[in-house]
Amino acid sequence: MASEEPTECSTLSGKTIKTLNIFRATTNGTEIQIDFTDGTSFTCLVSNRTEIEANLSLCGAGEPQVLEQYLSK
């Protein structure tokens, strides 16, 4: 699996956290809610989704030739 760059939330830098809540095992995943002292709130949903990637290839001399790709997200 390729490494991805982090998602930077630069507008949150320097804010003071009032409360932080983690809601686990919801039907969509785990939600993180951060309330800041300036009245703003940040929420983040973390979920683990199943993805399927499959290929039908023709093998022979040299590199296999991909005939069909199947992707499901």
Side-chain angles (χ1 to χ4, degrees), residues 42-63:
F42 174 80
T43 57
C44 177
L45 179 65
V46 179
S47 61
N48 186 11
R49 299 176 189 204
T50 301
E51 294 183 20
I52 299 171
E53 181 178 335
N55 295 319
L56 173 64
S57 301
L58 178 61
C59 300
E63 290 289 317

Side-chain angles (χ1 to χ4, degrees), residues 15-64:
K15 289 185 177 276
T16 303
I17 295 174
K18 180 179 177 182
T19 58
L20 186 146
N21 294 295
I22 300 173
F23 302 96
R24 299 170 199 247
T26 65
T27 56
N28 294 329
T30 299
E31 185 174 337
I32 300 166
Q33 177 183 339
I34 303 171
D35 296 323
F36 298 102
T37 56
D38 66 358
T40 59
S41 182
F42 174 80
T43 57
C44 177
L45 179 65
V46 179
S47 61
N48 186 11
R49 299 176 189 204
T50 301
E51 294 183 20
I52 299 171
E53 181 178 335
N55 295 319
L56 173 64
S57 301
L58 178 61
C59 300
E63 290 289 317

